[in-house]
PDB file of all heavy atoms in Angstrom:
ATOM      1  N   CYS A  49     102.346  72.168  83.398  1.00 96.00           N
ATOM      2  CA  CYS A  49     103.748  72.563  83.542  1.00 96.00           C
ATOM      3  C   CYS A  49     104.014  72.995  84.979  1.00 96.00           C
ATOM      4  O   CYS A  49     103.092  73.300  85.744  1.00 96.00           O
ATOM      5  CB  CYS A  49     104.077  73.710  82.584  1.00 96.00           C
ATOM      6  SG  CYS A  49     104.002  73.246  80.832  1.00 96.00           S
ATOM      7  N   TYR A  50     105.287  73.009  85.329  1.00 96.00           N
ATOM      8  CA  TYR A  50     105.719  73.408  86.669  1.00 96.00           C
ATOM      9  C   TYR A  50     106.293  74.809  86.565  1.00 96.00           C
ATOM     10  O   TYR A  50     107.337  75.020  85.941  1.00 96.00           O
ATOM     11  CB  TYR A  50     106.764  72.422  87.182  1.00 96.00           C
ATOM     12  CG  TYR A  50     107.047  72.513  88.662  1.00 96.00           C
ATOM     13  CD1 TYR A  50     106.011  72.531  89.587  1.00 96.00           C
ATOM     14  CD2 TYR A  50     108.358  72.559  89.137  1.00 96.00           C
ATOM     15  CE1 TYR A  50     106.269  72.599  90.937  1.00 96.00           C
ATOM     16  CE2 TYR A  50     108.626  72.616  90.488  1.00 96.00           C
ATOM     17  CZ  TYR A  50     107.572  72.636  91.392  1.00 96.00           C
ATOM     18  OH  TYR A  50     107.836  72.701  92.738  1.00 96.00           O
ATOM     19  N   LEU A  51     105.596  75.786  87.170  1.00 97.00           N
ATOM     20  CA  LEU A  51     105.909  77.185  86.952  1.00 97.00           C
ATOM     21  C   LEU A  51     106.331  77.875  88.248  1.00 97.00           C
ATOM     22  O   LEU A  51     105.967  77.456  89.345  1.00 97.00           O
ATOM     23  CB  LEU A  51     104.696  77.913  86.365  1.00 97.00           C
ATOM     24  CG  LEU A  51     104.120  77.310  85.077  1.00 97.00           C
ATOM     25  CD1 LEU A  51     102.867  78.068  84.662  1.00 97.00           C
ATOM     26  CD2 LEU A  51     105.153  77.325  83.958  1.00 97.00           C
ATOM     27  N   LEU A  52     107.080  78.955  88.100  1.00 97.00           N
ATOM     28  CA  LEU A  52     107.520  79.787  89.211  1.00 97.00           C
ATOM     29  C   LEU A  52     106.799  81.123  89.137  1.00 97.00           C
ATOM     30  O   LEU A  52     106.746  81.754  88.085  1.00 97.00           O
ATOM     31  CB  LEU A  52     109.035  80.000  89.136  1.00 97.00           C
ATOM     32  CG  LEU A  52     109.669  80.910  90.188  1.00 97.00           C
ATOM     33  CD1 LEU A  52     109.507  80.313  91.587  1.00 97.00           C
ATOM     34  CD2 LEU A  52     111.159  81.121  89.874  1.00 97.00           C
ATOM     35  N   ASP A  53     106.235  81.550  90.267  1.00 97.00           N
ATOM     36  CA  ASP A  53     105.560  82.842  90.370  1.00 97.00           C
ATOM     37  C   ASP A  53     106.368  83.721  91.323  1.00 97.00           C
ATOM     38  O   ASP A  53     106.392  83.482  92.532  1.00 97.00           O
ATOM     39  CB  ASP A  53     104.134  82.655  90.888  1.00 97.00           C
ATOM     40  CG  ASP A  53     103.352  83.968  90.951  1.00 97.00           C
ATOM     41  OD1 ASP A  53     103.903  85.006  90.526  1.00 97.00           O
ATOM     42  OD2 ASP A  53     102.199  83.954  91.428  1.00 97.00           O
ATOM     43  N   ILE A  54     107.048  84.720  90.777  1.00 97.00           N
ATOM     44  CA  ILE A  54     107.920  85.581  91.564  1.00 97.00           C
ATOM     45  C   ILE A  54     107.148  86.805  92.042  1.00 97.00           C
ATOM     46  O   ILE A  54     106.520  87.494  91.248  1.00 97.00           O
ATOM     47  CB  ILE A  54     109.144  86.012  90.737  1.00 97.00           C
ATOM     48  CG1 ILE A  54     109.991  84.780  90.414  1.00 97.00           C
ATOM     49  CG2 ILE A  54     109.976  87.048  91.482  1.00 97.00           C
ATOM     50  CD1 ILE A  54     111.109  85.045  89.459  1.00 97.00           C
ATOM     51  N   GLY A  55     107.216  87.063  93.351  1.00 95.00           N
ATOM     52  CA  GLY A  55     106.401  88.117  93.930  1.00 95.00           C
ATOM     53  C   GLY A  55     104.945  87.688  93.967  1.00 95.00           C
ATOM     54  O   GLY A  55     104.060  88.448  93.588  1.00 95.00           O
ATOM     55  N   CYS A  56     104.702  86.457  94.442  1.00 95.00           N
ATOM     56  CA  CYS A  56     103.377  85.841  94.322  1.00 95.00           C
ATOM     57  C   CYS A  56     102.324  86.504  95.200  1.00 95.00           C
ATOM     58  O   CYS A  56     101.125  86.357  94.950  1.00 95.00           O
ATOM     59  CB  CYS A  56     103.456  84.359  94.659  1.00 95.00           C
ATOM     60  SG  CYS A  56     103.973  84.012  96.369  1.00 95.00           S
ATOM     61  N   GLY A  57     102.733  87.256  96.230  1.00 93.00           N
ATOM     62  CA  GLY A  57     101.767  87.937  97.084  1.00 93.00           C
ATOM     63  C   GLY A  57     100.790  86.983  97.741  1.00 93.00           C
ATOM     64  O   GLY A  57     101.181  85.970  98.327  1.00 93.00           O
ATOM     65  N   THR A  58      99.508  87.267  97.618  1.00 93.00           N
ATOM     66  CA  THR A  58      98.467  86.450  98.243  1.00 93.00           C
ATOM     67  C   THR A  58      98.041  85.266  97.375  1.00 93.00           C
ATOM     68  O   THR A  58      97.091  84.564  97.721  1.00 93.00           O
ATOM     69  CB  THR A  58      97.236  87.305  98.567  1.00 93.00           C
ATOM     70  OG1 THR A  58      96.722  87.868  97.355  1.00 93.00           O
ATOM     71  CG2 THR A  58      97.597  88.432  99.524  1.00 93.00           C
ATOM     72  N   GLY A  59      98.707  85.056  96.252  1.00 93.00           N
ATOM     73  CA  GLY A  59      98.435  83.880  95.433  1.00 93.00           C
ATOM     74  C   GLY A  59      97.376  84.055  94.370  1.00 93.00           C
ATOM     75  O   GLY A  59      96.894  83.066  93.813  1.00 93.00           O
ATOM     76  N   LEU A  60      97.024  85.300  94.037  1.00 93.00           N
ATOM     77  CA  LEU A  60      95.992  85.513  93.018  1.00 93.00           C
ATOM     78  C   LEU A  60      96.435  85.010  91.653  1.00 93.00           C
ATOM     79  O   LEU A  60      95.672  84.351  90.939  1.00 93.00           O
ATOM     80  CB  LEU A  60      95.625  86.998  92.945  1.00 93.00           C
ATOM     81  CG  LEU A  60      94.939  87.593  94.185  1.00 93.00           C
ATOM     82  CD1 LEU A  60      94.744  89.095  94.008  1.00 93.00           C
ATOM     83  CD2 LEU A  60      93.595  86.915  94.421  1.00 93.00           C
ATOM     84  N   SER A  61      97.675  85.326  91.271  1.00 94.00           N
ATOM     85  CA  SER A  61      98.186  84.852  89.987  1.00 94.00           C
ATOM     86  C   SER A  61      98.310  83.332  89.995  1.00 94.00           C
ATOM     87  O   SER A  61      98.017  82.660  89.004  1.00 94.00           O
ATOM     88  CB  SER A  61      99.552  85.485  89.699  1.00 94.00           C
ATOM     89  OG  SER A  61      99.464  86.882  89.648  1.00 94.00           O
ATOM     90  N   GLY A  62      98.744  82.796  91.137  1.00 94.00           N
ATOM     91  CA  GLY A  62      98.863  81.348  91.253  1.00 94.00           C
ATOM     92  C   GLY A  62      97.534  80.641  91.117  1.00 94.00           C
ATOM     93  O   GLY A  62      97.459  79.542  90.547  1.00 94.00           O
ATOM     94  N   ASP A  63      96.474  81.253  91.631  1.00 93.00           N
ATOM     95  CA  ASP A  63      95.141  80.658  91.478  1.00 93.00           C
ATOM     96  C   ASP A  63      94.790  80.501  90.004  1.00 93.00           C
ATOM     97  O   ASP A  63      94.202  79.493  89.596  1.00 93.00           O
ATOM     98  CB  ASP A  63      94.087  81.524  92.161  1.00 93.00           C
ATOM     99  CG  ASP A  63      94.127  81.384  93.676  1.00 93.00           C
ATOM    100  OD1 ASP A  63      94.799  80.468  94.179  1.00 93.00           O
ATOM    101  OD2 ASP A  63      93.481  82.211  94.359  1.00 93.00           O
ATOM    102  N   TYR A  64      95.152  81.498  89.203  1.00 94.00           N
ATOM    103  CA  TYR A  64      94.886  81.408  87.769  1.00 94.00           C
ATOM    104  C   TYR A  64      95.697  80.268  87.143  1.00 94.00           C
ATOM    105  O   TYR A  64      95.182  79.519  86.307  1.00 94.00           O
ATOM    106  CB  TYR A  64      95.213  82.723  87.074  1.00 94.00           C
ATOM    107  CG  TYR A  64      94.891  82.716  85.603  1.00 94.00           C
ATOM    108  CD1 TYR A  64      93.613  83.005  85.152  1.00 94.00           C
ATOM    109  CD2 TYR A  64      95.868  82.389  84.658  1.00 94.00           C
ATOM    110  CE1 TYR A  64      93.304  82.964  83.802  1.00 94.00           C
ATOM    111  CE2 TYR A  64      95.568  82.350  83.313  1.00 94.00           C
ATOM    112  CZ  TYR A  64      94.285  82.641  82.883  1.00 94.00           C
ATOM    113  OH  TYR A  64      93.991  82.594  81.542  1.00 94.00           O
ATOM    114  N   LEU A  65      96.954  80.138  87.559  1.00 95.00           N
ATOM    115  CA  LEU A  65      97.785  79.042  87.039  1.00 95.00           C
ATOM    116  C   LEU A  65      97.171  77.690  87.385  1.00 95.00           C
ATOM    117  O   LEU A  65      97.154  76.774  86.557  1.00 95.00           O
ATOM    118  CB  LEU A  65      99.201  79.136  87.611  1.00 95.00           C
ATOM    119  CG  LEU A  65      99.997  80.403  87.277  1.00 95.00           C
ATOM    120  CD1 LEU A  65     101.379  80.341  87.926  1.00 95.00           C
ATOM    121  CD2 LEU A  65     100.135  80.589  85.766  1.00 95.00           C
ATOM    122  N   SER A  66      96.661  77.563  88.606  1.00 93.00           N
ATOM    123  CA  SER A  66      96.028  76.312  89.019  1.00 93.00           C
ATOM    124  C   SER A  66      94.784  76.029  88.193  1.00 93.00           C
ATOM    125  O   SER A  66      94.544  74.895  87.770  1.00 93.00           O
ATOM    126  CB  SER A  66      95.664  76.371  90.509  1.00 93.00           C
ATOM    127  OG  SER A  66      96.810  76.477  91.316  1.00 93.00           O
ATOM    128  N   GLU A  67      93.990  77.060  87.951  1.00 92.00           N
ATOM    129  CA  GLU A  67      92.769  76.884  87.162  1.00 92.00           C
ATOM    130  C   GLU A  67      93.082  76.461  85.734  1.00 92.00           C
ATOM    131  O   GLU A  67      92.276  75.786  85.087  1.00 92.00           O
ATOM    132  CB  GLU A  67      91.958  78.177  87.168  1.00 92.00           C
ATOM    133  CG  GLU A  67      91.338  78.499  88.517  1.00 92.00           C
ATOM    134  CD  GLU A  67      90.612  79.826  88.522  1.00 92.00           C
ATOM    135  OE1 GLU A  67      90.585  80.473  87.448  1.00 92.00           O
ATOM    136  OE2 GLU A  67      90.078  80.207  89.576  1.00 92.00           O
ATOM    137  N   GLU A  68      94.260  76.853  85.251  1.00 92.00           N
ATOM    138  CA  GLU A  68      94.664  76.455  83.902  1.00 92.00           C
ATOM    139  C   GLU A  68      95.356  75.094  83.876  1.00 92.00           C
ATOM    140  O   GLU A  68      95.854  74.658  82.844  1.00 92.00           O
ATOM    141  CB  GLU A  68      95.594  77.518  83.306  1.00 92.00           C
ATOM    142  CG  GLU A  68      94.899  78.832  82.977  1.00 92.00           C
ATOM    143  CD  GLU A  68      93.832  78.656  81.912  1.00 92.00           C
ATOM    144  OE1 GLU A  68      94.141  78.132  80.822  1.00 92.00           O
ATOM    145  OE2 GLU A  68      92.670  79.028  82.172  1.00 92.00           O
ATOM    146  N   GLY A  69      95.406  74.425  85.028  1.00 92.00           N
ATOM    147  CA  GLY A  69      95.919  73.066  85.070  1.00 92.00           C
ATOM    148  C   GLY A  69      97.407  72.932  85.345  1.00 92.00           C
ATOM    149  O   GLY A  69      97.971  71.853  85.171  1.00 92.00           O
ATOM    150  N   HIS A  70      98.061  74.013  85.780  1.00 95.00           N
ATOM    151  CA  HIS A  70      99.505  73.973  86.017  1.00 95.00           C
ATOM    152  C   HIS A  70      99.816  73.882  87.510  1.00 95.00           C
ATOM    153  O   HIS A  70      98.983  74.211  88.363  1.00 95.00           O
ATOM    154  CB  HIS A  70     100.169  75.226  85.437  1.00 95.00           C
ATOM    155  CG  HIS A  70      99.967  75.385  83.961  1.00 95.00           C
ATOM    156  ND1 HIS A  70     100.470  74.510  83.033  1.00 95.00           N
ATOM    157  CD2 HIS A  70      99.270  76.324  83.258  1.00 95.00           C
ATOM    158  CE1 HIS A  70     100.132  74.896  81.816  1.00 95.00           C
ATOM    159  NE2 HIS A  70      99.387  75.986  81.925  1.00 95.00           N
ATOM    160  N   TYR A  71     101.021  73.411  87.807  1.00 95.00           N
ATOM    161  CA  TYR A  71     101.528  73.387  89.168  1.00 95.00           C
ATOM    162  C   TYR A  71     102.516  74.534  89.325  1.00 95.00           C
ATOM    163  O   TYR A  71     103.209  74.897  88.383  1.00 95.00           O
ATOM    164  CB  TYR A  71     102.207  72.044  89.463  1.00 95.00           C
ATOM    165  CG  TYR A  71     101.309  70.860  89.193  1.00 95.00           C
ATOM    166  CD1 TYR A  71     101.507  70.033  88.079  1.00 95.00           C
ATOM    167  CD2 TYR A  71     100.244  70.567  90.040  1.00 95.00           C
ATOM    168  CE1 TYR A  71     100.680  68.963  87.826  1.00 95.00           C
ATOM    169  CE2 TYR A  71      99.405  69.494  89.794  1.00 95.00           C
ATOM    170  CZ  TYR A  71      99.626  68.698  88.680  1.00 95.00           C
ATOM    171  OH  TYR A  71      98.792  67.639  88.436  1.00 95.00           O
ATOM    172  N   TRP A  72     102.620  75.089  90.529  1.00 96.00           N
ATOM    173  CA  TRP A  72     103.451  76.279  90.669  1.00 96.00           C
ATOM    174  C   TRP A  72     104.018  76.411  92.075  1.00 96.00           C
ATOM    175  O   TRP A  72     103.505  75.849  93.040  1.00 96.00           O
ATOM    176  CB  TRP A  72     102.648  77.533  90.319  1.00 96.00           C
ATOM    177  CG  TRP A  72     101.425  77.759  91.157  1.00 96.00           C
ATOM    178  CD1 TRP A  72     100.197  77.175  90.992  1.00 96.00           C
ATOM    179  CD2 TRP A  72     101.314  78.620  92.298  1.00 96.00           C
ATOM    180  NE1 TRP A  72      99.319  77.623  91.941  1.00 96.00           N
ATOM    181  CE2 TRP A  72      99.971  78.514  92.765  1.00 96.00           C
ATOM    182  CE3 TRP A  72     102.185  79.479  92.949  1.00 96.00           C
ATOM    183  CZ2 TRP A  72      99.504  79.222  93.866  1.00 96.00           C
ATOM    184  CZ3 TRP A  72     101.725  80.196  94.047  1.00 96.00           C
ATOM    185  CH2 TRP A  72     100.412  80.061  94.501  1.00 96.00           C
ATOM    186  N   VAL A  73     105.093  77.178  92.142  1.00 96.00           N
ATOM    187  CA  VAL A  73     105.720  77.573  93.399  1.00 96.00           C
ATOM    188  C   VAL A  73     105.792  79.094  93.416  1.00 96.00           C
ATOM    189  O   VAL A  73     106.175  79.716  92.416  1.00 96.00           O
ATOM    190  CB  VAL A  73     107.140  76.987  93.533  1.00 96.00           C
ATOM    191  CG1 VAL A  73     107.825  77.519  94.788  1.00 96.00           C
ATOM    192  CG2 VAL A  73     107.093  75.468  93.557  1.00 96.00           C
ATOM    193  N   GLY A  74     105.406  79.698  94.521  1.00 96.00           N
ATOM    194  CA  GLY A  74     105.443  81.141  94.643  1.00 96.00           C
ATOM    195  C   GLY A  74     106.479  81.593  95.654  1.00 96.00           C
ATOM    196  O   GLY A  74     106.656  80.965  96.701  1.00 96.00           O
ATOM    197  N   ILE A  75     107.193  82.664  95.338  1.00 96.00           N
ATOM    198  CA  ILE A  75     108.176  83.246  96.256  1.00 96.00           C
ATOM    199  C   ILE A  75     107.829  84.712  96.479  1.00 96.00           C
ATOM    200  O   ILE A  75     107.479  85.424  95.541  1.00 96.00           O
ATOM    201  CB  ILE A  75     109.616  83.086  95.708  1.00 96.00           C
ATOM    202  CG1 ILE A  75     110.637  83.674  96.691  1.00 96.00           C
ATOM    203  CG2 ILE A  75     109.769  83.719  94.331  1.00 96.00           C
ATOM    204  CD1 ILE A  75     112.078  83.371  96.298  1.00 96.00           C
ATOM    205  N   ASP A  76     107.886  85.139  97.753  1.00 96.00           N
ATOM    206  CA  ASP A  76     107.575  86.525  98.081  1.00 96.00           C
ATOM    207  C   ASP A  76     108.362  86.933  99.317  1.00 96.00           C
ATOM    208  O   ASP A  76     108.665  86.100 100.176  1.00 96.00           O
ATOM    209  CB  ASP A  76     106.071  86.703  98.330  1.00 96.00           C
ATOM    210  CG  ASP A  76     105.627  88.151  98.167  1.00 96.00           C
ATOM    211  OD1 ASP A  76     105.852  88.955  99.085  1.00 96.00           O
ATOM    212  OD2 ASP A  76     105.080  88.476  97.095  1.00 96.00           O
ATOM    213  N   ILE A  77     108.667  88.233  99.416  1.00 94.00           N
ATOM    214  CA  ILE A  77     109.472  88.748 100.523  1.00 94.00           C
ATOM    215  C   ILE A  77     108.621  89.094 101.737  1.00 94.00           C
ATOM    216  O   ILE A  77     109.149  89.320 102.830  1.00 94.00           O
ATOM    217  CB  ILE A  77     110.276  89.982 100.055  1.00 94.00           C
ATOM    218  CG1 ILE A  77     111.415  90.289 101.030  1.00 94.00           C
ATOM    219  CG2 ILE A  77     109.354  91.181  99.875  1.00 94.00           C
ATOM    220  CD1 ILE A  77     112.353  91.374 100.538  1.00 94.00           C
ATOM    221  N   SER A  78     107.304  89.126 101.562  1.00 94.00           N
ATOM    222  CA  SER A  78     106.402  89.573 102.622  1.00 94.00           C
ATOM    223  C   SER A  78     105.759  88.394 103.356  1.00 94.00           C
ATOM    224  O   SER A  78     104.948  87.666 102.762  1.00 94.00           O
ATOM    225  CB  SER A  78     105.299  90.464 102.040  1.00 94.00           C
ATOM    226  OG  SER A  78     104.301  90.716 103.004  1.00 94.00           O
ATOM    227  N   PRO A  79     106.073  88.201 104.644  1.00 95.00           N
ATOM    228  CA  PRO A  79     105.406  87.137 105.414  1.00 95.00           C
ATOM    229  C   PRO A  79     103.895  87.347 105.502  1.00 95.00           C
ATOM    230  O   PRO A  79     103.136  86.375 105.473  1.00 95.00           O
ATOM    231  CB  PRO A  79     106.061  87.237 106.802  1.00 95.00           C
ATOM    232  CG  PRO A  79     107.360  87.939 106.578  1.00 95.00           C
ATOM    233  CD  PRO A  79     107.110  88.881 105.447  1.00 95.00           C
ATOM    234  N   ALA A  80     103.459  88.608 105.597  1.00 95.00           N
ATOM    235  CA  ALA A  80     102.025  88.884 105.697  1.00 95.00           C
ATOM    236  C   ALA A  80     101.287  88.441 104.440  1.00 95.00           C
ATOM    237  O   ALA A  80     100.180  87.882 104.511  1.00 95.00           O
ATOM    238  CB  ALA A  80     101.798  90.372 105.958  1.00 95.00           C
ATOM    239  N   MET A  81     101.887  88.697 103.280  1.00 95.00           N
ATOM    240  CA  MET A  81     101.275  88.277 102.021  1.00 95.00           C
ATOM    241  C   MET A  81     101.167  86.757 101.944  1.00 95.00           C
ATOM    242  O   MET A  81     100.139  86.207 101.520  1.00 95.00           O
ATOM    243  CB  MET A  81     102.086  88.809 100.840  1.00 95.00           C
ATOM    244  CG  MET A  81     101.966  90.298 100.619  1.00 95.00           C
ATOM    245  SD  MET A  81     100.350  90.740  99.943  1.00 95.00           S
ATOM    246  CE  MET A  81     100.658  92.440  99.473  1.00 95.00           C
ATOM    247  N   LEU A  82     102.226  86.066 102.352  1.00 94.00           N
ATOM    248  CA  LEU A  82     102.213  84.605 102.292  1.00 94.00           C
ATOM    249  C   LEU A  82     101.215  84.021 103.297  1.00 94.00           C
ATOM    250  O   LEU A  82     100.575  83.006 103.017  1.00 94.00           O
ATOM    251  CB  LEU A  82     103.621  84.067 102.555  1.00 94.00           C
ATOM    252  CG  LEU A  82     104.674  84.429 101.506  1.00 94.00           C
ATOM    253  CD1 LEU A  82     106.031  83.865 101.883  1.00 94.00           C
ATOM    254  CD2 LEU A  82     104.268  83.944 100.114  1.00 94.00           C
ATOM    255  N   ASP A  83     101.085  84.658 104.463  1.00 94.00           N
ATOM    256  CA  ASP A  83     100.076  84.210 105.425  1.00 94.00           C
ATOM    257  C   ASP A  83      98.678  84.350 104.835  1.00 94.00           C
ATOM    258  O   ASP A  83      97.820  83.475 105.020  1.00 94.00           O
ATOM    259  CB  ASP A  83     100.176  85.036 106.710  1.00 94.00           C
ATOM    260  CG  ASP A  83     101.382  84.658 107.557  1.00 94.00           C
ATOM    261  OD1 ASP A  83     101.935  83.562 107.333  1.00 94.00           O
ATOM    262  OD2 ASP A  83     101.783  85.461 108.427  1.00 94.00           O
ATOM    263  N   ALA A  84      98.449  85.454 104.110  1.00 93.00           N
ATOM    264  CA  ALA A  84      97.147  85.641 103.462  1.00 93.00           C
ATOM    265  C   ALA A  84      96.909  84.582 102.396  1.00 93.00           C
ATOM    266  O   ALA A  84      95.788  84.097 102.223  1.00 93.00           O
ATOM    267  CB  ALA A  84      97.069  87.038 102.849  1.00 93.00           C
ATOM    268  N   ALA A  85      97.976  84.214 101.674  1.00 92.00           N
ATOM    269  CA  ALA A  85      97.855  83.155 100.669  1.00 92.00           C
ATOM    270  C   ALA A  85      97.490  81.822 101.321  1.00 92.00           C
ATOM    271  O   ALA A  85      96.671  81.055 100.797  1.00 92.00           O
ATOM    272  CB  ALA A  85      99.156  83.034  99.884  1.00 92.00           C
TER     273      ALA A  85
END
């Protein structure tokens, strides 16, 4: 499935979604968090 991760931060939750076979888009207000992702 194609999922949205709100407040995705460094992508930890997104990594779990990927491991479960899903595709995702993450949105976050912090540039530092997204750089870490």
Side-chain angles (χ1 to χ4, degrees):
C49 294
Y50 194 49
L51 305 176
L52 177 64
D53 183 4
I54 295 172
C56 63
T58 60
L60 294 175
S61 300
D63 285 348
Y64 183 85
L65 299 180
S66 296
E67 290 176 1
E68 290 297 305
H70 300 295
Y71 305 107
W72 59 278
V73 175
I75 181 172
D76 201 282
I77 197 172
S78 170
M81 288 287 192
L82 295 179
D83 286 342

